[in-house]
Amino acid sequence: MTQDGGQAVHIDTSKPHPARIYDYLLGGKDNYEVDQEAGDQLAAVAPEVWISVRANRAFLQRAVRHVIDSGVRQILDIGTGLPTSPNVHEVAQELAPDVRVAYVDNDPIVKAHADALLSRAGTTSIVLADLRDPQSIVDHPEVRRVIDFGRPVALFLVAIFHFIRDADEPERIIATLRDALPDGSFLVLSHATGDFADDRSEAEAVYRGATATMNLRSRDRVEGFFDGFELVEPGLTQVPFWRPDTTPPPGSEEIGFYGGVARKNA
């Protein structure tokens, strides 16, 4: 593990943060009262959120196993959120101890917790950076220390892109990251949607007072983020139905998360 240098970063605990809301919904303890209140408000208008976040986490773990089984030994996980075991590096290194993982998040609290938990073996790193500036992530020396962009990389954008506004040009962000990846790399992406909700405005409203807004998108729009990649079977699905290893929980048909895994081919 390597820590970023530089000046201390102010941590704003007056507003709910998506990573901490997610941690609360997963049953974690790394959150504040404002995050708990926002999580409860979200659950009040979208009760399926409780099973949605767990289904998304399970999708993440299955996707890790898939890319490792496919031979990839490098993972770039952007928007990692607060550490929730088993984490990406734990799942990956259980299958292949030589896997290298670079985590990226824009929340200083996330970085502080990751700094304390990650091993010091040099195969993992946590970087404080912003997805809206993707080139700075690709060029970051700590990312470059762990990730060799001359070999296939699995790029994880799990439950993060719905916090990117259209004004921030999500397609540009994806294209910058995609162009940095060699052939044989993977994109693992999940994204919140309102396709299965009668009214999506109330869920989005919960995040208006948070540090990032919620931007629910349709299946067609999410599928467009995989441009330049080839989706592996079963394609883009609701997360509990992407290669499930157990019977999806009751209510899975209402889960408002799409997920997919795709490979970059020549």
Side-chain angles (χ1 to χ4, degrees), residues 193-209:
T193 182
D195 285 357
F196 307 99
D198 294 332
D199 183 5
R200 58 188 246 173
S201 61
E202 290 184 325
E204 289 178 318
V206 172
Y207 284 87
R208 286 181 193 145

Side-chain angles (χ1 to χ4, degrees), residues 3-20:
Q3 302 179 14
D4 285 340
Q7 299 178 346
V9 181
H10 172 67
I11 297 174
D12 184 2
T13 59
S14 66
K15 295 181 179 180
H17 188 284
R20 301 194 301 262

Side-chain angles (χ1 to χ4, degrees), residues 26-49:
L26 281 171
K29 301 185 183 303
D30 298 313
N31 50 75
Y32 297 93
E33 187 174 350
V34 290
D35 309 304
Q36 297 162 17
E37 291 174 353
D40 289 340
Q41 291 170 13
L42 183 60
V45 298
E48 72 280 0
V49 71

